[in-house]
Each structure stands twice: as C-alpha cells, then as structure tokens.
Amino acid sequence: MTFEIKYKDARGRVGILKTPHGRIKTPALMPVIHPGKQILPVDDYGADLVITNAYLIYKNDLLREKALEEGVHNLIDFSGPVITDSGSYQLSLYGDVQVSNQMIVEFQEKIGTDIGTSLDIPTPPFVKRERAEKDLEITIQRAKESLEVRDKMMLNSVVQGSTYLDLRSRCADILGSMDFQVHPIGAVVPLLESYRYREVVEVIMASVTHLPDSRPRHLMGAGHPMVFALAVALGCDLFDSAAYILYAEDDRLMMPNGTYKLDKLQEMPCYCEVCSSHTPDELRGMAKKGRSLLLAQHNLEVSFGEIRTIRQAIIDGSLWELIEQRCRSHPYLLDALRILKNYQEDLEKYDPPYKRSAFFYSGPESLNRPEVYRHLKRLQQIPKKNKVLLLPPSDKPYSQHIAAISGKFYGTKKGNFENSIIKKLLEPSEINLPLPAIKDIQIVVVDIPFALIPLELDQVYPLAQNESPTNYDEDAKEMVRKVLQNYIYNFEETVISENVLKSFDLDLSNLDLEKEFQITETVILGVEDLDRIVYIADYQFGYGAGRALFNGPIKVVKSRKTGKIRHIYLDGGEGDVEKLIATLRASDGVFVLASEGARRLHQYFPYPRNRVVINQEAEPFARKGKSIFAKFVINCDIDIRAKDEVLIVNEDDQLLAFGKSVLNGMEITDFNTGQAVKTRKGGF
Amino acid sequence: MTFEIKYKDARGRVGILKTPHGRIKTPALMPVIHPGKQILPVDDYGADLVITNAYLIYKNDLLREKALEEGVHNLIDFSGPVITDSGSYQLSLYGDVQVSNQMIVEFQEKIGTDIGTSLDIPTPPFVKRERAEKDLEITIQRAKESLEVRDKMMLNSVVQGSTYLDLRSRCADILGSMDFQVHPIGAVVPLLESYRYREVVEVIMASVTHLPDSRPRHLMGAGHPMVFALAVALGCDLFDSAAYILYAEDDRLMMPNGTYKLDKLQEMPCYCEVCSSHTPDELRGMAKKGRSLLLAQHNLEVSFGEIRTIRQAIIDGSLWELIEQRCRSHPYLLDALRILKNYQEDLEKYDPPYKRSAFFYSGPESLNRPEVYRHLKRLQQIPKKNKVLLLPPSDKPYSQHIAAISGKFYGTKKGNFENSIIKKLLEPSEINLPLPAIKDIQIVVVDIPFALIPLELDQVYPLAQNESPTNYDEDAKEMVRKVLQNYIYNFEETVISENVLKSFDLDLSNLDLEKEFQITETVILGVEDLDRIVYIADYQFGYGAGRALFNGPIKVVKSRKTGKIRHIYLDGGEGDVEKLIATLRASDGVFVLASEGARRLHQYFPYPRNRVVINQEAEPFARKGKSIFAKFVINCDIDIRAKDEVLIVNEDDQLLAFGKSVLNGMEITDFNTGQAVKTRKGGF
C-alpha cells in the first residue's frame, strides 16, 4: 500500500504517500502545470508533486509525441511525482472530449504518470437527481474499466454525485471497495466559487465517511488557502492550485483569510518576500507579465505556508484552533463551521483524546468540538454518588484552588428527606473533606466549555488544559443550563453555589431549589486518592476499569515536587517495576499502563475490547516489545481512539504486549501500511 | 502641529506624523535600537522610525561623547526620525537611575533626538492606590519640568496611573492640556506578559478618551503583533519592538496569532522569506548567532507585515473584521474584545458610518460593533407609522427579493380594535402595496445583525452590505428578541411572520400575539419613493431632515439600468444642476447633498447643527470650493461623524459651501493640521 498516517488531529492527518517518483508528505498542495507553457519553477516554492492534464497533452501532436518518447516528467521538467487529470474538466466545460476513457487511461500509463485518472463525469451541484444518477453510473463504470486497463500505474477515482449526499456516499462506498490509490472529491468548484461552504462540508463529509481511511483524498479544484484548514480537518489530504496563477493574472492576492485586489491596495498586507520588498504602486507600475509572475509567487508562497501551518497544527493538536480562526474570515465559512455540530459523533471517533496543545475557546462553535462531546459522554461512565455539590470555577486545576468554600448556596431534596449535604456543610467541624461520612457527595465544578467537571477529574486532559473568556456567550450558558439540569436529576440531593446560578442565568424554579443558606465558616474540600485514580481510569478506559486496575491492596506514590499522584503499585511495590500497575502522565493526567495494569485490564475487559489482535507472524516481535504494523493486525476494537492505551493480543486472546495506539480502531482495521501501535512493553 | 489623519476606522487612524527627520506614516512600529550593538539593518525591513535609549547613551562615556559630537542619528546609523526613552524603564527595573529629569531631557535635545521623553515613573499594575497617586504626581511634575527645559525638541509625555482607570484619565487630561507632541501609554508590559488583555483595553480606553485626538499615542512596550490590531482599533498609533530580537534570541517566532517555539516545530508555519527558505532542522542546526539573526528577520517581517495589514484594513473599513479574527488566537484576547461592549457609545462616535467594506459577522462580538449600536439608535429618528408587519429575511436588498409574501402569520392588537393589517392582508386584491389605504403599515425585516430593518432603509449602508451565518448563535437571537419586543410596543397593531418567531425563538405569549392566520394568495409589498427618500434622509441626518429636504414639489429620477433612485430635483428640474437637491450614492445608499439640499438643511437645522464653522480668513477659499483645513475651523457640531455630509458656514452662520467631513466633530475641534472637510461645492 501507498499511504500511511504519522499524526492526526480532528479528521486531519499528516501522512506519507508513496509514489514511483518519491514519497510525499500530506497534506500537500499540487500546483497545476499547464503542459508546454509553465512559467514558474514551482519546486522552488515547495511543490513536492504536481498535477497536469493528460488530455491537453494527448490532444496536441507535439506534446503527445514528446510525452510518449520522453515521459511526462521530462515534458513538464519536474522530477517528483506527477498526477494527471483525464479531460473531465474539459468535459464539464465543453460537454464533450475527443478521447475515450480507455484511451486516456492507457495514454497516462504510457507517458509514465505516477497517478492517473479515469474520465469521470463532473456533475455540477443542484442538477436534477435523474441526471446526477445517470452521470454517476457512467463515472463508476469508467472507474471499473480503468482498473482493467491499467497495468501498474496508481489510479485516482473521483467521487461524484452532485449535491445528493446519498449519491456521494454510495459512490464512495463503491469506489472504495475497488483497488484505487487516491480518491479525488469532484465537482465542488461551483460550490466554492459561490461561497457555498456549507454544502462543501456536506459533500466532503458524505464522501470521506464512506471512503477507506487508508487512501488520500484530493479536494479537486480547491486552490484557495482560505479553505485548506477546514478541508484538512474534515479528512482531505491533497489540493491542487491553478488559482495561484489565475488569480495572479487577474491582479489578485490570495491570503489564508481572503483575497485582496491589487488595484485597491495602498499597503502590501502580507509579509512574504514579494510583499515585503514591493509597494502596491511599484507592482502596478510594472509590465503585466512581470507583475503576474510576482503575484503568482506571492500566491504560491502563501499557499504553501498555509499547508505547512496546517501540518504543524495537526502535529501540535491545535487544528481546531486554526480552523476556528480561519473560518472567521467569511460569514459563510462560519456557517460551514457551525454545521460541524451535525457530525460530532463521527468527528469524535477520529479526533485524538490527548493533545500537546491546550483547548482554546474561540466562540460558540468551540462548544461543538469533539472534546466537549466526548467529555459529556464519558461523564456517564464514571462512578456514581448519591449527592452533588456544584461549585463555580476557580483557577485550574480546580482542586488546588478551591480547597475551601464559603458563601451563599441553595439546596434541593427529592421526596421527603432532609437535605443532608446542607446539614453537613453547616457543621464545618465535621466536614473537612474527604471524610467517610460524606464520601457520597460528588463535588463538581461548573465551567465553560466542559460544563461539569467532577473534582476527581480536574487534572485530566483537556479538563485542566483549556482556556475560555470569563465573559460567557449565551450559547455557552445555554449549554451549561441544559447539561446541568439533566445531570442533577440523577442525584438524591443537590447543593449549588449562588455564583453558579448567577453566572449561567440558571432558573431557581426549573431546578426545584428551595433551601437557601449561607456558609460562613470555611469548609475544606478535597479528593481522596483512591477516588481520583478510579475516576480517571473509568473516564479513560470505561466504567469498571478503575476498580479492576486498583483492586486489592495498592500503594499510591506521589511526586515530591508537585504532590501529584505519579505511580500506582501493588502494595509494597514502590520502585518495583514488576509491581507497577500504571503511571499517571504529568502532561495530561491520564494513565500509562504498566505490565500489571495491562494484565488486569486484559482480565477485566472481554475480547476484543481495548485490544489490537495480531497474526502469528508478528507475535514474536510483539512479545519482544517491537511496535505493531497495521498489516499484521487481524482484528481490533473498533472503539479505540488514536493515542489510547491498548492491549496487544493474538487470536487466542493471549496478552502479548501493550502500547499506545497511533490510529483509531477503524483506521487500524483499514490500513495495511505504517504503524498501528507504538508498543510500550512486551514480555508476556 | 505635527500630526494629521488620512483614514479612520473604529478608533484607529492612518495618519502622518511630521518630525525634523521626516514624515512617518502611522500606525508605525519602531524597532528598539540598542545604541552601540545593533545587529540588523532595521530600515531594510520597513522601519521608518526607531526608538533608542538616551539613558544608556548618557551612561556610557564613549557613546555619550560620540552622540554629543555627531548626534544620535549618526551614533545609531539611522537617518530617519529617532525617538529616545529617558531611562524610565531602567528606573522600573532597578528602582533608581543616575540622572535627573532635567539632565536627561537636556541631553536628548543636545544629541538631536526627534522626540524626547521625560523621566516618568512607570507604576506597575495592581499596586496600592497610594503608591500610584504618589508616582503620578512625580510623573506629572517631571512632565511640566521637561516643557520648561526643552528648546525645540518634540516631547513624549507618558500616561501613567497603574490600573486605576480614573488616575489614567486624570493623567491624560493634565498632560493633554500641555504642549506635548506624542503620548505614550506606559507600564502595560506586565499586563501584556500575563495575558491580561482585558485590563490593557481598560487602561488604553481610560487614557485615549482623555487625550487630545490630535496627538499620536504610543503603546509602550507592546511589541507582539498579536495585539497590534486591537490596540490600533482603540486609538494607538505607535508601537515599539525589542521583542523581535528578544524572542529571536530565545528561539521563538512571533506571528499575528501567537508564538511558536522553534524546538517544537517540524514545519515552518509562515510564508516569510526566512520560513519559506529554511526548514526547522536547518535553523536548529545553525550556530546560535546566525539563527537569531534569521529569526529576528522573521519577527520583523511579520511585525511590519501586520502593521501594513492594519493600515490597509483602516483604509478598507475592515478593521473590525481584522480584530475579530486576531482576537480568536487567545481566549483572553477574546475576553478583551468582548468588553468593548462597555465602550459602544464612545466607539460609535469615532467609527465612520460609511465604509468601503461589507460588515462581516464573525460571532456574538459582532453584535457589539458600532454599526449595530448606531443603527438601533438611528431607528428612533425615522418617521413613525401606526402598524408594523415583521418579515423574515430574504436576499439583500430585501425590497428587491420580498416583493411578495405568503404563509402563516400572527397578529396582535392593542385595546379593543380589530387588527386592520390582518384584514388588509387577507383581502389581497386591495393590498398591492404601496397603496394609500395601508400607508400606515411599517414593513420591517428581522435579521442578524441589525435586528430590525424598515424596508425603506434596505439599501442604506450597512443594512444591505453585510453578511451573517444563517445558523444563528444564541446571543444574536437574544438581541433580536429584546429589540423586537421593545419595538412593537410602540405600534397599535403588529403582524409577524411565523418564520420570524421560529428563527429567533420568540415566545408568543411575551409578544401578546393572539390571532393566527394564513395568507394563501400572494400579497405584493413595496416601498413608495417618497417614503424611501424621507426615511433615508432622517436616518442619515436626523429626524425631520427628510421633510425639510424634499418639501414641496420634487422629481425623483431613477437609474435606467438598476431602477434605483439616483437624483432628487425640484419639480421640473431633471438635469438642471441648480435644481438638484441631493443624489443617492449607489455604493452605500445615502445622500450626497447638492446646493439646493445644502440650503434646505441649513435652513432647517439650527446653528451649529451639522455645521463646520470657519474663520474669516478661510471664507473666500470655502466659497471657491476649496477644501477646509482644520486650522481654520473655529466651531463645529460635535456630533458630526467622519464621512458625514456637512455644511460649511461662517461665524454669522452664512452658508459658504458644503462637503464631506474627513474627521468627526471632536477631532475637527481638536486638530490644527490637515483636512477637516473635503468641500464638494462652494459658490453661495
């Protein structure tokens, strides 16, 4: 296979695509090369691969002969990988082309294209369904034919289906089941040109959710850096740009946040080499040809810079922050960002739960991020207590800053019972938490954007690693109100700080609050170590994992410097690697398994939960602690997320090793190249 | 005087600052030059002026002698304007300096500094009030002393006062009343370093609202491009940057949306010359000195690029769009953006009502922009009708797209009357609007972000020139609900489309709605020409202006091409310039006055309303149609906004000419240099 993933964020990936002419890092931008009249040495600006048009070469006698004799790489004077298009674009422009599908595929192979394309039908948006269906039939039939025609050439197969999302998905399913190497998503240019970014998102999502994860997707014709970040976050890997030269010839400068017309500029609003060394007047005073070259250079520099920025954001785990900035440049992009709410469940599966970057709140859209969706879901898998005490936020981590509380509170009760939390809170001498007497009170901090943070989880990523404005927007308040009202319904008794009510405009009557009281003497709050580690394990691995891991006599070892929990051993095992169960990673507050922990989880969770199952061939390597490549995996828990701690077993469910997943469960299943799991330890 | 304004947006200005060593375009960034050990030729990267430290020169025998002999410009090898600091920074660092205020001011004059600085006391944030007051006394006393000491040198005078906003304002009032040329705002670095952007905004606003508009403000020590746009939008003109070299030496790359550490980069996330031609590994592999130089170059290129971007945004009228993008890069910057809500009244006075760019909605913060505040205020100055019909938005301009309505509606009534709108709407044959019978129905479109748009105003900037996501956030809905509920209270009868209720989650019971009915036959809607022009004039100039301008028999001439109103003449005057009252400008849908219109407004509005009053000396020039310079203005209507149509009169209130204001009323009053009004026509 030809593609592997190195880093992931959102649905985006930094990957490596192998071609006969070399390995390409994705996301990648391919400048469109006009065969025979290319004006800029695009490789000077960072182009590792390019795209050119096989049909234009085919139609021109001179170009055709030269390409057949010397190959397409010599024809366009580019030594890296070359993708060729088939004439579909000309078909969409002129309604007809003078070549058959079979002929153009054969031709591409003959001229040595790295990745060729069949003659698909680019059905425009918003056509009648009948036409979209008819076109699609031809596209799929030609795709099949191209497989029969090609010898060794890698093949594109373009997802079409107009704006009918079910057709896009059906097309993706069918093409994805066949032996293609790359999947362009076609005919989105009319949508992009009319700023219909919302429909672009819908078309991409209908396609990528039905395409194999193991193949790169190319958003055909999307050459403006405004949309790169969003498209990458949805799973697109390749872009082509004829725009850099077309915009330049029209005296327009592309930027990641829009387009400037040279004739309206008094200042060069950019810091690329061209803009730093020329004034608008100088550029306007130049001859057209020289000016176009400089503007094309600007457009390329900015486009490649944006691709690098996106790759770095994936590596840093800050791709959401980047797209939330980029999507502010046009209200219709913001609209597109807002409908990602409809794809939360899917996006959560692809988005790694642990990142290098903190979560930055940039507006109501941040509430729809996978991290928030995941947290609210995982809240349901931690241990339940009977009573709940809701507090306003402090600095993070909360447990280190709200050691003591006082002020005005409200209490509820269910049925005819006295509110026992109130009673305890008003008897401060008794209530230096944690005390066995009130171990059944769940202390929860109410904050943006994660709504409810049980104090036991206050050091877990991203509950401690996030920043929000203190001035809440209405969407944030509304979200908290809804979540909180549902949550307290599960408790026998609730006590809530007046500050929480005020901050989120909570309605007393909706909450069934009746008792108002004042804590004057300071009450000390805290979290028991055992509670903390059990909660974290349940939150990280699923309900019950905590008790399974930390069953029996254990010893908790803390950092002398920070006082935070570091290692959990079997009792008496401090420093004894064999007796280490798990380590709490300081950077994100979740567990890294040790051998004993892996054994315990393996015993507790039924097959194939939390497991990556490998074949016999790979077994000895796994036992030796070597990392697991995707091609050796024969089964796996589909619910694994990238960066999860996973168990590596054989077909008989014998535990061989454990490690950190590179991909999610669906990707591990689909991929046949690259690492699936970085093994921490074998030796079982 | 030394400063004039060329373009305005928000509180920001593109201006020209004159110094003995040349004219500087603002906003400007001044690289900090270390006397004697400067490593980069900063003028190569766009530096037009620099700042260096007179105290460091003074303290070093060699530097002092050279500076006294050859002047500071030769000492630091820079031929443009040089600003010098006085040692205040060293005072804040070490608590003491070995020079008196008088000596350092004299020294700066001797070495030929363009703009010198007195030895102010930089009081840190959050100190005790007593200390802030004491420090401030010394700062002000030294400022006064510096005026006595200086001969011809231009002088900085730094606004201090810690985080006590009243002290900042008092300081600004006092210093502003004295003869200084530039006002730094001091001691904000500790706030910037701890991301306390909200307090930075408060300190800036407490200062600039009390400083003369006619002097540039320098936000001292703010060298990170993250904050430039926001600071400019609040009225800051000058920045200094030692950061470019300090960050470089610490292997950090500054970007307009944050900072990258080189050691964490796998990709260069930028398109400047340095980042386009080096990989992170290459840079890391270099010797420290060479790497620092390259990173300093990156930091300078990016910083100057951001300054150019900001200037262009002011010229385009898109500075709000820019700051709303920039403030997404950190949640505390977003917090700072959100508190601009507290300054709406002030910001509205400085923000020009008419811009080249469309209004782009980027989130709840956009609802607090001056344009929205101004619209809701001006809604109160248009003619009142008795009944209101509220419709959902269509494409813009609305009147061209909602010519016909049908669907489900709700009606209210006040008292015991039948709802006559319902009656009319259900008798479609009678109700091809505009018909005299229902001239008392105000048709209003309900939309984001302007809430209520009377159909008569649907082509006026920015009511037609704006874009918002169709997916509304809760703040937007809440704003519309509040505005709408207050609004319909003024009408005898209301009819509201069900789509409006649904889109904004309006509560039927809050609105006192009772009658539900269905329009099945299409009702044609429209606007009468006379209504339209009267509404626009009232909206633009104030209540009554419409009837004053278009009193008596008039003739409305429309564009043959677009069908839109172009000119309004006295009856029978088509094509007769003498009888032209006003022209509706196609680009923004507001009136440009003609002589007859100016005469009529002059007659209608009492002195000094809508007037700029000039002295005798300038009278002949005004009559000849020459533009008005600020120094000739002796009085003016303080409520004039930049770009308003204004009347030019003499002290006896004789109308001399009319034109378009360059500045707002407060600025016209304050400035003594530059244009105040671009005269359209004299000849009275």
Side-chain angles (χ1 to χ4, degrees), chain B residues 384-576:
Chain B
K384 302 263 180 300
K385 295 185 176 178
N386 294 324
K387 302 161 190 175
V388 65
L389 169 61
L390 295 148
L391 300 177
S394 63
D395 282 349
K396 301 185 192 76
Y398 306 113
S399 61
Q400 293 184 5
H401 294 91
I402 47 167
I405 58 163
S406 58
K408 205 165 166 187
F409 290 78
Y410 291 84
T412 68
K413 54 174 185 174
K414 285 203 176 167
N416 290 321
F417 302 101
E418 274 284 317
N419 189 315
S420 66
I421 315 176
I422 298 180
K423 206 173 149 220
K424 306 247 183 214
L425 288 173
L426 292 177
E427 292 164 13
S429 60
E430 266 189 40
I431 187 172
N432 284 351
L433 282 179
L435 282 183
I438 56 154
K439 271 206 66 170
D440 59 345
I441 301 179
Q442 178 68 59
I443 302 170
V444 172
V445 175
V446 186
D447 201 355
I448 301 297
F450 293 104
L452 302 171
I453 303 98
L455 211 53
E456 293 83 356
L457 298 176
D458 75 332
Q459 288 162 26
V460 175
Y461 186 92
L463 308 176
Q465 300 80 357
N466 69 83
E467 296 289 354
S468 300
T470 53
N471 205 325
Y472 303 148
D473 51 65
E474 289 297 327
D475 286 82
K477 289 191 216 170
E478 176 70 13
M479 186 273 260
V480 166
R481 284 195 293 267
K482 279 190 186 156
V483 170
L484 189 145
Q485 280 171 22
N486 280 328
Y487 183 71
I488 64 173
Y489 190 78
N490 298 313
F491 291 91
E492 281 170 18
E493 295 174 3
T494 300
V495 163
I496 185 163
S497 155
E498 189 188 34
N499 289 333
V500 172
L501 297 179
K502 283 184 179 168
S503 296
F504 301 99
D505 300 335
L506 279 155
D507 190 338
L508 278 177
S509 59
N510 279 353
L511 297 172
D512 224 2
L513 291 174
E514 34 187 8
K515 292 229 178 194
E516 175 190 330
F517 64 101
Q518 185 90 28
I519 302 180
T520 46
E521 290 190 59
T522 299
V523 173
I524 307 296
L525 302 177
V527 175
E528 277 205 342
D529 289 346
L530 187 61
D531 268 3
R532 188 184 284 279
I533 61 178
V534 167
Y535 270 63
I536 294 174
D538 279 12
Y539 186 79
Q540 180 179 358
F541 295 106
Y543 183 72
R547 271 168 310 156
L549 279 172
F550 308 121
N551 182 24
I554 59 156
K555 184 170 171 65
V556 172
V557 177
K558 297 187 179 182
S559 158
R560 282 192 201 158
K561 210 170 140 196
T562 63
K564 288 186 183 177
I565 296 171
R566 289 305 311 277
H567 304 292
I568 295 101
Y569 290 92
L570 288 177
D571 195 20
E574 183 171 351
D576 179 348

Side-chain angles (χ1 to χ4, degrees), chain A residues 58-340:
Chain A
Y58 178 87
K59 257 192 15 184
N60 179 305
D61 292 345
L62 223 64
L63 295 176
R64 189 177 59 237
E65 290 315 313
K66 192 171 178 204
L68 286 170
E69 273 169 36
E70 303 176 14
V72 65
H73 294 79
N74 282 323
L75 177 73
I76 63 170
D77 192 21
F78 185 80
S79 60
V82 173
I83 298 192
T84 45
D85 198 0
S86 58
S88 299
Y89 177 68
Q90 285 67 25
L91 187 62
S92 76
L93 277 187
Y94 309 117
D96 195 19
V97 285
Q98 287 134 30
V99 71
S100 72
N101 179 51
Q102 181 176 344
M103 283 160 74
I104 198 68
V105 174
E106 280 172 355
F107 179 69
Q108 292 174 80
E109 180 124 29
K110 278 185 200 151
I111 63 175
T113 290
D114 289 272
I115 306 175
T117 312
S118 53
L119 192 64
D120 62 295
I121 314 283
T123 317
F126 309 115
V127 299
K128 288 210 170 136
R129 184 170 176 102
E130 206 185 353
R131 173 171 168 201
E133 283 177 347
K134 243 186 208 161
D135 284 358
L136 191 55
E137 222 167 282
I138 304 171
T139 291
I140 291 170
Q141 182 259 312
R142 289 185 182 170
K144 285 180 188 163
E145 190 184 57
S146 70
L147 283 177
E148 290 157 19
V149 172
R150 74 114 170 249
D151 182 16
K152 288 177 184 164
M153 178 175 67
M154 294 167 72
L155 268 179
N156 274 321
S157 194
V158 187
V159 179
Q160 297 288 359
S162 181
T163 28
Y164 296 98
L165 303 183
D166 62 319
L167 294 187
R168 291 275 182 180
S169 297
R170 190 160 75 85
C171 181
D173 277 333
I174 295 171
L175 300 179
S177 71
M178 296 190 277
D179 185 23
F180 295 106
Q181 283 65 54
V182 177
H183 289 290
I185 298 172
V188 295
V189 170
L191 295 174
L192 290 165
E193 282 175 347
S194 53
Y195 297 85
R196 289 180 171 270
Y197 300 117
R198 207 156 84 158
E199 284 85 355
V200 174
V201 166
E202 288 168 346
V203 164
I204 293 175
M205 288 304 289
S207 305
V208 297
T209 51
H210 289 255
L211 285 171
D213 290 316
S214 57
R215 299 177 193 168
R217 300 89 179 224
H218 167 197
L219 191 65
M220 272 189 121
H224 199 300
M226 268 176 94
V227 301
F228 291 171
L230 180 61
V232 167
L234 302 180
C236 297
D237 307 283
L238 299 171
F239 301 91
D240 62 283
S241 174
Y244 75 96
I245 186 72
L246 298 175
Y247 275 64
E249 284 170 353
D250 192 29
D251 282 340
R252 286 186 293 167
L253 291 90
M254 300 194 297
M255 295 293 288
N257 64 346
T259 305
Y260 289 101
K261 289 185 181 158
L262 178 62
D263 66 356
K264 297 207 170 152
L265 290 182
Q266 293 195 27
E267 306 273 348
M268 298 307 291
C270 168
Y271 39 81
C272 81
E273 189 181 348
V274 172
C275 293
S276 294
S277 52
H278 295 85
T279 66
D281 278 339
E282 279 168 24
L283 288 170
R284 283 188 289 256
M286 289 178 127
K288 169 85 180 164
K289 200 173 162 185
R291 181 170 70 238
S292 293
L293 271 175
L294 284 173
L295 295 185
Q297 183 185 337
H298 159 93
N299 288 337
L300 271 185
E301 297 279 20
V302 166
S303 299
F304 282 115
E306 180 67 358
I307 293 288
R308 290 193 300 269
T309 302
I310 293 167
R311 285 191 204 137
Q312 186 62 43
I314 294 174
I315 293 166
D316 288 340
S318 61
L319 187 57
W320 286 105
E321 278 74 14
L322 184 67
I323 69 169
E324 291 188 7
Q325 289 175 38
R326 293 294 185 255
C327 287
R328 307 287 164 185
S329 58
H330 195 286
Y332 295 169
L333 267 176
L334 185 57
D335 229 5
L337 181 65
R338 288 183 174 182
I339 66 153
L340 297 192

Side-chain angles (χ1 to χ4, degrees), chain B residues 180-200:
Chain B
F180 295 106
Q181 283 65 54
V182 177
H183 289 290
I185 298 172
V188 295
V189 170
L191 295 174
L192 290 165
E193 282 176 347
S194 53
Y195 297 87
R196 288 180 172 269
Y197 300 118
R198 207 156 84 158
E199 283 86 355
V200 173

Side-chain angles (χ1 to χ4, degrees), chain A residues 7 25 198 255-257 260 264-273 275-276 301-302 305-306 308-309 311-312 315-316 324-326 328-332 334-335 338-339 356 360-364 467-475 478, chain B residues 7 25 198 255-257 260 264-273 275-276 301-302 305-306 308-309 311-312 315-316 324-326 328-332 334-335 338-339 356 360-364 467-475 478:
Chain A
Y7 299 93
K25 199 191 279 183
R198 207 156 84 158
M255 295 293 288
N257 64 346
Y260 289 101
K264 297 207 170 152
L265 290 182
Q266 293 195 27
E267 306 273 348
M268 298 307 291
C270 168
Y271 39 81
C272 81
E273 189 181 348
C275 293
S276 294
E301 297 279 20
V302 166
E306 180 67 358
R308 290 193 300 269
T309 302
R311 285 191 204 137
Q312 186 62 43
I315 293 166
D316 288 340
E324 291 188 7
Q325 289 175 38
R326 293 294 185 255
R328 307 287 164 185
S329 58
H330 195 286
Y332 295 169
L334 185 57
D335 229 5
R338 288 183 174 182
I339 66 153
R356 266 166 48 165
F360 275 5
Y361 187 95
S362 84
E467 295 289 354
S468 300
T470 52
N471 204 324
Y472 303 146
D473 52 65
E474 290 296 327
D475 286 82
E478 176 69 13
Chain B
Y7 298 93
K25 199 191 278 182
R198 207 156 84 158
M255 294 293 289
N257 64 346
Y260 289 102
K264 296 208 170 153
L265 290 182
Q266 293 194 27
E267 306 274 347
M268 298 307 292
C270 168
Y271 38 82
C272 81
E273 190 182 347
C275 294
S276 293
E301 297 280 20
V302 166
E306 179 67 358
R308 291 193 301 269
T309 302
R311 284 190 203 139
Q312 186 62 43
I315 294 165
D316 288 341
E324 291 188 6
Q325 288 175 40
R326 292 293 186 255
R328 307 285 164 186
S329 58
H330 195 286
Y332 296 170
L334 185 58
D335 228 6
R338 287 183 175 182
I339 66 154
R356 267 164 49 164
F360 276 3
Y361 187 94
S362 84
E467 296 289 354
S468 300
T470 53
N471 205 325
Y472 303 148
D473 51 65
E474 289 297 327
D475 286 82
E478 176 70 13

